[in-house]
Amino acid sequence: MKHFFKIVYCIAILCIADTSYAQRKTAVKAKTTTVNAGLKLPTGFHASIIARDLGVARHMAVNSKGDIYVKMDRVKNSGGIIELSNPADNGIARKKTVFGEYGGTGIAIKNGYLYASSNSNIYRYKLNADEQVEDTGKAELIVSGLLDRGQHNSKSIALDNDGNIYVNIGAYSNSCQEHDRENGSKGMDPCPILDSAGGIWQFKADKQNQTYGDGVRYATGTRNVVGLDWNNEINSLFVMQHGRDQIGTMFPQFYEAKYADEIPAEEMFLVKKGMNFGWPYCYYDPMQNKKLLAPEYGGDGKQVGRCAEMEKPVVAFPAHMAPDGLLFYTGNMFPEKYKNGAFIAFHGSWNRNVTGQEGYFVAFVPFKDGKPSGKWEVFANGFAGVSKIESTGDAKYRPCGLAQAPDGSLYVSDDNKGNIWRITYKGK
Amino acid sequence: MKKIIITGILCLLVVAYIFAQAKKQPLAQASIKRGQKVFESTCIVCHQKNGGGVPRLNPPLIKTKYVLGDKSQLVQIVLKGLNQPIEIEGETYNNVMPSFAQLTDEQIADVLTYVRNSFGNKASAVTPALVKAERAKTQ
């Protein structure tokens, strides 16, 4: 009898997994008719490649004149920051300067300064009246000594309107096991990593030489956040978390392989001071719409336990798609539907073991008054260049950074080869 | 007469050699086949189906000096895992590789023989005896 219930449960779960997969497939097909520069876009949109083969191009910032600053992750052969000219004139962004001898991901412009991060420090450069870096050799060190142990080391940044800078300090671990990613190794409880990582830290944007002691752990329990953005409409921070890996391969006794590929969701969080999002103790199951106890902490795919108190996502996306860029669109070029909505660059998965890799696109979520007002949809697809991705290496390009130009067009960077796409709207 | 004996011995040697090869080949083939199963359940998640890895996260297993080089070192990587900021064919990788000491000597030999003979790699087999000897060193 016990076995009978187990079988019924498995069948039920498979059905749920299947329908959610089918729903996603229909979302993927959202009236994409235009194909430009290799991308499938909604009707009326147009794409072109404005820069090619820059290297490992991560996040971007655009000044008021339309020049683009690209943060590079590998200094070798490319330099740390590349300044490109405004491509609006002839469709090509020319390399103007290369500076900043450190690899990293974060870059942003605020109040007359360009901020950029290495994997352990945050710097800033003064901008002149044309919003160009005055002296590329003169970087002010704002924050230093942030933890970098390789894994999840991107120090992505966002700034608010009150003189603060927010930085992701990712956990150097998958699920805080005694032995990271090892079969059968227990989760540490409490997880010691959370003291110095696995959260969002807040620092003063205009004070030099800060380190951990000067900052505030603004929110905790975020495993790794690469995309984050300040939403000016409701004056709040939003972040995209990368959910934990390998739940199915490490705990096949609790999760059927196909179901395991769909958990945990990649989560969008609205972040307020003091919030706890639950890593490493909890993960979000998008089929059950619940934060559940992680198997390293005694979970079995059903138990909730302490996770009842953890913050929920405002949007849950399919598992493992790796959201690396987040941007709230405030431009005037795109149709009304896009105003104040969120674009998310999905880098693309590598550990969806049986259902095949997913992501490698830019998604969109409509927002109203700071809340999602509709389902997420695929906005720009085709970066991978192939329809079926079995191994990550099959994908030609992988979306990472997003930025908005003064004219309202959208830039998407790829960190595989270093191409940058410009997406514009011209109407029907 | 002497000539006939020498030719006979040579013939015997050749036949023995051919037999030895024929016996060796199916053995390696069987090991590769079993190794593929191990790879698919334990390594594929990071190193990917085509052995190409994930850019800047998990290294490729295609013609690297670790895969094709010293077999003892290769066995040690699987037994102990690897988490060092090392360069693999000129690139560094951010993820960690856990220990797979829980696999049997035969499973480790099989998976490494599979890796050394897949994705364009061609190299000699790894034996369970070598894994056993390397495991003894770690204890």
Side-chain angles (χ1 to χ4, degrees), chain A residues 56 58 73-74 76 150-151 153 180-183 350-351 353 390-392 394 398 415-416, chain B residues 41 45-46 48-50 53-58 87 90-92 94-96 98-99 102:
Chain A
V56 186
R58 299 284 284 173
D73 195 50
R74 296 287 197 264
K76 205 167 67 181
Q151 202 175 162
N153 62 359
D180 194 14
R181 296 179 191 262
E182 197 174 303
N183 252 355
W350 52 273
N351 57 348
N353 291 343
E390 268 185 350
S391 301
T392 309
D394 298 341
R398 304 182 74 190
D415 68 1
N416 228 14
Chain B
S41 61
V45 57
C46 294
Q48 305 287 284
K49 191 170 186 160
N50 64 5
V54 179
R56 292 171 293 112
L57 202 62
N58 305 314
E87 270 198 14
E91 185 57 272
T92 55
N94 279 348
N95 207 355
V96 306
S99 150
Q102 81 275 12

Side-chain angles (χ1 to χ4, degrees), chain A residues 203-417:
Chain A
F203 293 94
K204 293 268 162 278
D206 62 355
K207 194 174 153 209
Q208 294 193 34
N209 295 313
Q210 301 168 86
T211 186
Y212 275 105
D214 306 289
V216 173
R217 192 176 72 176
Y218 191 71
T220 190
T222 50
R223 178 175 173 272
N224 184 33
V225 163
V226 186
L228 67 175
D229 196 18
W230 191 260
N231 181 314
N232 285 308
E233 210 190 2
I234 59 162
N235 219 26
S236 294
L237 180 68
F238 282 78
V239 305
M240 293 293 318
Q241 173 179 251
H242 285 219
R244 50 92 39 97
D245 305 324
Q246 292 165 264
I247 203 163
T249 47
M250 290 201 289
F251 299 94
Q253 66 272 40
F254 300 135
Y255 308 98
E256 187 276 328
K258 206 170 159 194
Y259 191 85
D261 271 2
E262 304 294 339
I263 48 173
E266 303 288 49
E267 298 170 77
M268 179 192 279
F269 297 132
L270 160 61
V271 185
K272 298 274 184 204
K273 194 171 176 173
M275 281 183 168
N276 185 348
F277 296 97
W279 182 90
Y281 316 112
C282 313
Y283 70 94
Y284 193 76
D285 182 321
M287 277 74 73
Q288 300 183 49
N289 284 318
K290 270 185 200 157
K291 278 239 154 135
L292 299 177
L293 199 58
E296 288 86 348
Y297 293 88
D300 59 1
K302 292 179 285 260
Q303 279 187 64
V304 174
R306 66 182 105 168
C307 305
E309 289 122 59
M310 304 300 179
E311 300 294 337
K312 292 205 170 56
V314 290
V315 187
F317 295 89
H320 309 305
M321 299 201 307
D324 273 3
L326 172 65
L327 178 116
F328 284 99
Y329 184 78
T330 55
N332 294 320
M333 179 191 277
F334 292 2
E336 191 54 32
K337 159 182 168 181
Y338 295 93
K339 193 88 179 198
N340 298 318
F343 284 102
I344 300 114
F346 284 100
H347 203 210
S349 71
W350 52 273
N351 57 348
R352 294 177 63 95
N353 291 343
V354 290
T355 56
Q357 309 308 338
E358 285 278 347
Y360 305 86
F361 53 61
V362 175
F364 176 75
V365 185
F367 266 65
K368 202 168 175 352
D369 307 321
K371 289 199 186 78
S373 60
K375 279 200 156 170
W376 74 273
E377 60 189 61
V378 174
F379 173 73
N381 205 353
F383 291 92
V386 288
S387 54
K388 191 163 186 282
I389 303 154
E390 268 185 350
S391 301
T392 309
D394 298 341
K396 213 163 166 200
Y397 307 107
R398 304 182 74 190
C400 179
L402 297 169
Q404 184 186 307
D407 69 359
S409 51
L410 180 73
Y411 295 128
V412 184
S413 68
D414 137 63
D415 68 1
N416 228 14
K417 303 267 171 19

Side-chain angles (χ1 to χ4, degrees), chain A residues 110-129:
Chain A
K110 191 82 188 180
N111 296 336
Y113 285 92
L114 175 74
Y115 292 80
S117 67
S118 69
N119 293 329
S120 52
N121 300 340
I122 304 173
Y123 304 89
R124 74 172 185 180
Y125 304 82
K126 193 159 178 42
L127 300 176
N128 64 20

Side-chain angles (χ1 to χ4, degrees), chain B residues 50-110:
Chain B
N50 64 5
V54 179
R56 292 171 293 112
L57 202 62
N58 305 314
L61 300 177
I62 304 173
K63 296 181 181 164
T64 69
K65 70 169 192 220
Y66 297 95
V67 169
L68 297 181
D70 178 24
K71 289 196 255 187
S72 297
Q73 184 189 29
L74 184 58
V75 170
Q76 287 294 340
I77 289 176
V78 176
L79 285 172
K80 289 202 206 125
L82 193 62
N83 185 19
Q84 277 154 24
I86 50 166
E87 270 198 14
I88 297 159
E89 310 299 310
E91 185 57 272
T92 55
Y93 295 87
N94 279 348
N95 207 355
V96 306
M97 169 152 160
S99 150
F100 289 97
Q102 81 275 12
L103 296 176
T104 64
D105 294 345
E106 193 186 45
Q107 283 175 318
I108 293 178
D110 288 344

